[in-house]
Amino acid sequence: MSTFGFIKAAAASPRLKVADLEYNVKEIEGLIRASDSLGTAVIVFPELCLTGYTCADLFGQRLLLDKSLDCLAGLLDKTTDCDVLAVVGIPLPVEQKLYNCAVAIQHGKVLGVVPKTYPANYKEFYENRWFTSGYPLSKSITEIRILGRTIPFGSLIFHCEELGCSLGIEICEDLWAVVPPSSYMALNGANIMANLSASNELVSKSNYRRQLVAQQSARCISGYVYASSGVHESTTDIVFGGDCIIAENGSILETSRRFDRGSSVIYSEIDIERLASERQVNRTYADNCEYDGEFRKYRKVDVSYNKPFRVDKDNFTRHVPPHPFIPDDPLSRDERCEEIFNIQVAGLAKRLEHTGTKHAVVGVSGGLDSTLALLVTGKTFGLLGIPAENIIAVTMPGFGTTDATLNNAVQLMKTMQTNVNEINIEPACLRHFKDIGLPEGTHDITFENAQARERTQILMDLANKHNGLVIGTGDLSELALGWATYNGDHMSMYAVNCSIPKTLVKFLVKWIADNVVDYESRDVLHKILDTPISPELLPPGANGEILQKTEEVIGPYELHDFFLYYVIRHGMPPRKVLFLAGLAFDGKYSADEITKWLKLFYRRFFSQQYKRSCLPDGPKVGTISLSPRGDWRMPSDAEANLWLNQL
């Protein structure tokens, strides 16, 4: 069995000599053994790797073809003790025609042979000069004789029931087809695609090739292992770079360093459980599978492994980003922020146009969430040609408000040229505490929530007064944890931040500061970015500092956002989330800390669903939203014990 559904895959580009088969087999054997020692389930080699892809008219030489089979037999003899499933490429004559084939081998045996569907026949590639498409033959025969044995041939999927892994194979040009064979394989259950390739290097071709691999892995909801020929192929007219790629459902997991002079191999873990979960919830995939139209059928070949696949911290090579909502690459991060900001603005603009209102009311605390909501509102009003002074911006200092946050709020409202309002809520709250009999000096949950509800009442009544909309400030992380006062900051008339996690809010505000607003606004935004996250509902310290820090109470938001992503987006069980969090935050949080906050996440997520069941409208900006109307339907009284017990 594999750990948490991960299996290790490898893509290799061996050093070779064109037409020197014994040399090539020795290199291939070494890579097979190395990958097997690491517990690899599948290793993929380039097309025609036994002979070299660039043999050209030498493929017409019987000596070369016979030697290919001899060397394949030698490779089988030398790898009988290897558990890894290796896929190698050879030229294979069948019924007096020559085919460009992939051969799947394991435990010293050939498990099956898959011919190339679309031999390349353009510009620098003239495969039709030597090779025939394997598709017509695959429809007429299902077995061939190789090395004295009858072997499955044609449209095959190599299936391991124990691992839940099904491997489909296509060869180079097949991926470039209008409908690649891997698309049909996916409909027949294959969840990992192997591509044996010989793709030459041209300016910008590598980027296109990697996009193609990533896109096909997304379209098929599969893993994709791509291995291309390297620099030691013939350079008579073209050069190969040894481009190897491992992708999963649209994401590149690992790539090789091209133009390496030695044999190269890359590894990564493919998450079979995650792919199964994605396919299960993707109705388009399910509907495709049920389609009764004409599409290619595949036969399964059983695969078994002698050794269990164990994944732990020491042998896990896949990068697990600690902030899954935030791209690592700065350019991609900027593009993400710009797109999210535009989605927020577009959503609010439509709501304002539909309601015909020319005013909006925003509560501004000097914190990140309300800052983002005000920035979105300001941009929207500019887009619609409505004066910024029609934004009724209100700061409402209370018992816990510090001078720093109050000054930041007022300064931001002024630099954005909004209608500036300051309403101190302390007198109203003190009167309310007296009315309900709350003893003076009591700083309990009633003391805190009464302030939040007082602020919401002010905002709602101002919206009525000005015929405007209250713009919500709460974010996705707060909704997941229920860290909002019911019918307080929980409520608004349009919630622009509702599907943005807390870790991303900070990057959004910084991007807006650096790319959208003027210098004066930028200065105050950077001050807000440096302010600790706090609801400021409890009195500050003697020196006016913030004492009530949210993350000290409910835990680090970066952990909760990590949990949220894998629990909701991928439906992962607690132990798997815990394992991945341990990798992502290695050295920053201990296992006990992560476990503690993960338990809190599950408790709060289950117990606070009633707050999410009545959320106001707001735009979905990413793959996760907790809107009860479109994305997340959960009973408000479900028990968390099943999940907590696993921890």
Side-chain angles (χ1 to χ4, degrees):
M1 292 292 293
S2 64
T3 307
F4 301 126
F6 288 107
I7 66 164
K8 190 182 292 292
S13 184
R15 181 184 176 93
L16 58 75
K17 295 181 180 179
V18 179
D20 189 342
L21 284 78
E22 291 183 355
Y23 177 90
N24 299 343
V25 165
K26 185 176 180 180
E27 290 291 320
I28 293 169
E29 178 201 348
L31 293 174
I32 290 176
R33 288 199 166 280
S35 67
D36 188 66
S37 69
L38 296 174
T40 307
V42 177
I43 183 170
V44 181
F45 290 89
E47 65 177 316
L48 300 171
C49 56
L50 262 66
T51 59
Y53 177 77
T54 51
C55 286
D57 282 353
L58 295 179
F59 286 124
Q61 296 289 311
R62 191 73 210 182
L63 179 61
L64 182 75
L65 302 180
D66 290 344
K67 187 65 174 178
S68 296
L69 288 173
D70 291 342
C71 286
L72 176 62
L75 182 63
L76 294 173
D77 289 341
K78 293 175 182 177
T79 57
T80 55
D81 59 334
C82 291
D83 212 27
V84 61
L85 174 62
V87 188
V88 299
I90 67 169
L92 194 64
V94 180
E95 295 187 355
Q96 292 149 27
K97 295 177 184 176
L98 189 61
Y99 297 91
N100 180 344
C101 292
V103 179
I105 65 174
Q106 185 194 39
H107 302 145
K109 296 180 180 178
V110 175
L111 301 184
V113 176
V114 177
K116 189 172 186 176
T117 300
Y118 301 107
N121 188 30
Y122 61 94
K123 296 181 181 178
E124 61 267 35
F125 299 109
Y126 303 101
E127 286 185 37
N128 280 351
R129 181 180 175 99
W130 312 290
F131 297 105
T132 300
S133 169
Y135 181 55
L137 185 65
S138 299
K139 293 195 293 185
S140 61
I141 68 170
T142 59
E143 295 176 333
I144 59 173
R145 294 282 294 178
I146 296 183
L147 304 174
R149 293 184 62 233
T150 300
I151 304 297
F153 177 88
S155 300
L156 307 175
I157 290 176
F158 300 87
H159 177 69
C160 177
E161 184 68 30
E162 188 179 26
L163 297 180
C165 171
S166 294
L167 178 73
I169 300 172
E170 60 187 4
I171 302 175
C172 197
E173 187 70 16
D174 294 348
L175 175 61
W176 270 258
V178 175
V179 183
S182 52
S183 297
Y184 298 114
M185 297 173 198
L187 295 177
N188 281 269
N191 50 21
I192 296 181
M193 310 303 172
N195 189 309
L196 297 78
S197 184
S199 182
N200 68 311
E201 298 300 332
L202 298 171
V203 174
S204 299
K205 187 176 181 180
S206 175
N207 290 336
Y208 177 78
R209 184 165 49 228
R210 294 179 181 190
Q211 290 172 8
L212 195 63
V213 170
Q215 180 59 236
Q216 187 62 5
S217 74
R219 193 178 298 278
C220 294
I221 314 179
S222 71
Y224 204 103
V225 186
Y226 179 97
S228 185
S229 302
V231 295
H232 295 286
E233 288 283 358
S234 172
T235 59
T236 301
D237 290 301
I238 52 179
V239 170
F240 297 85
D243 201 8
C244 293
I245 309 162
I246 301 177
E248 178 187 288
N249 195 27
S251 299
I252 299 290
L253 302 180
E254 191 63 70
T255 59
S256 64
R257 184 181 67 181
R258 291 181 298 144
F259 305 109
D260 199 322
R261 302 301 297 176
S263 292
S264 64
V265 59
I266 60 171
Y267 298 92
S268 192
E269 290 75 18
I270 293 175
D271 192 344
I272 300 299
E273 281 185 358
R274 174 183 170 183
L275 294 172
S277 176
E278 290 285 340
R279 288 182 172 185
Q280 180 177 311
V281 300
N282 188 306
R283 292 308 307 166
T284 302
Y285 174 81
D287 291 343
N288 258 188
C289 289
E290 295 168 3
Y291 178 59
D292 291 329
E294 181 66 28
F295 67 83
R296 196 179 311 180
K297 298 293 184 181
Y298 281 75
R299 293 173 291 121
K300 288 186 177 179
V301 176
D302 290 333
V303 178
S304 62
Y305 291 90
N306 295 329
K307 296 177 290 187
F309 292 95
R310 300 299 180 196
V311 172
D312 56 38
K313 179 180 175 182
D314 295 328
N315 68 6
F316 198 82
T317 61
R318 175 171 172 161
H319 173 60
V320 182
H323 304 123
F325 292 101
I326 304 166
D328 291 330
D329 174 55
L331 179 60
S332 299
R333 189 162 57 238
D334 286 348
E335 291 175 349
R336 176 79 55 87
C337 289
E338 181 178 13
E339 187 168 25
I340 290 172
F341 189 56
N342 287 335
I343 292 172
Q344 290 179 282
V345 169
L348 180 56
K350 172 62 178 178
R351 183 53 51 95
L352 291 171
E353 288 178 327
H354 177 71
T355 57
T357 183
K358 301 294 183 181
H359 291 82
V361 179
V362 186
V364 184
S365 67
L368 285 171
D369 290 343
S370 65
T371 295
L372 179 57
L374 183 60
L375 291 167
V376 170
T377 306
K379 180 69 173 179
T380 306
F381 272 50
L383 180 68
L384 298 179
I386 305 173
E389 62 191 40
N390 283 22
I391 301 173
I392 315 300
V394 192
T395 186
M396 296 166 282
F399 303 104
T401 303
T402 60
D403 290 341
T405 54
L406 178 59
N407 290 337
N408 287 341
V410 172
Q411 188 179 350
L412 179 62
M413 292 187 290
K414 288 180 178 179
T415 62
M416 292 184 63
Q417 300 178 355
T418 67
N419 186 317
V420 179
N421 298 267
E422 181 179 333
I423 302 175
N424 192 309
I425 65 168
E426 289 186 18
C429 287
L430 289 173
R431 174 68 196 190
H432 180 61
F433 296 152
K434 183 178 179 179
D435 290 342
I436 65 173
L438 185 71
E440 185 176 346
T442 302
H443 295 160
D444 60 3
I445 191 67
T446 305
F447 176 82
E448 293 188 39
N449 284 348
Q451 296 174 68
R453 292 194 180 100
E454 177 61 27
R455 287 174 171 138
T456 300
Q457 175 176 268
I458 291 171
L459 297 175
M460 291 288 181
D461 291 345
L462 281 172
N464 290 156
K465 178 182 177 183
H466 294 280
N467 189 30
L469 298 180
V470 175
I471 309 304
T473 62
D475 62 50
L476 180 66
S477 307
E478 292 176 344
L479 291 174
L481 294 167
W483 193 251
T485 299
Y486 193 88
N487 205 35
D489 52 321
H490 159 260
M491 192 48 60
S492 67
M493 296 173 181
Y494 195 75
V496 293
N497 297 341
C498 64
S499 62
I500 302 174
K502 185 74 79 175
T503 49
L504 185 54
V505 169
K506 189 169 186 175
F507 281 92
L508 267 169
V509 172
K510 185 178 185 306
W511 177 83
I512 296 168
D514 295 340
N515 296 277
V516 178
V517 299
D518 58 25
Y519 175 80
E520 289 183 336
S521 296
R522 181 181 306 126
D523 182 61
V524 67
L525 288 177
H526 280 288
K527 291 178 184 177
I528 293 170
L529 286 164
D530 293 333
T531 303
I533 299 171
S534 171
E536 292 194 319
L537 297 172
L538 296 179
N543 297 320
E545 73 276 18
I546 295 174
L547 294 182
Q548 186 185 21
K549 297 179 180 177
T550 300
E551 292 181 293
E552 292 180 358
V553 179
I554 61 170
Y557 270 117
E558 63 179 350
L559 280 179
H560 287 305
D561 285 355
F562 184 92
F563 303 152
L564 176 66
Y565 179 80
Y566 285 102
V567 171
I568 304 304
R569 175 69 180 84
H570 300 299
M572 288 186 180
R575 285 181 184 169
K576 188 169 183 177
V577 176
L578 189 65
F579 170 72
L580 292 176
L583 293 170
F585 295 98
D586 184 31
K588 188 168 185 179
Y589 301 107
S590 68
D592 288 342
E593 286 179 297
I594 296 172
T595 303
K596 169 188 172 181
W597 297 122
L598 182 55
K599 286 181 178 178
L600 182 140
F601 174 86
Y602 277 111
R603 289 192 187 100
R604 291 196 65 95
F605 188 83
F606 274 76
S607 68
Q608 302 295 301
Q609 172 61 29
Y610 72 97
K611 294 181 182 178
R612 298 187 290 268
S613 295
C614 56
L615 287 176
D617 292 355
K620 178 178 179 178
V621 303
T623 55
I624 296 176
S625 169
L626 296 176
S627 167
R629 292 169 294 277
D631 283 82
W632 187 250
R633 295 173 176 85
M634 174 180 170
S636 296
D637 43 14
E639 296 291 342
N641 292 337
L642 180 63
W643 288 262
L644 290 170
N645 289 341
Q646 195 182 89
L647 292 170

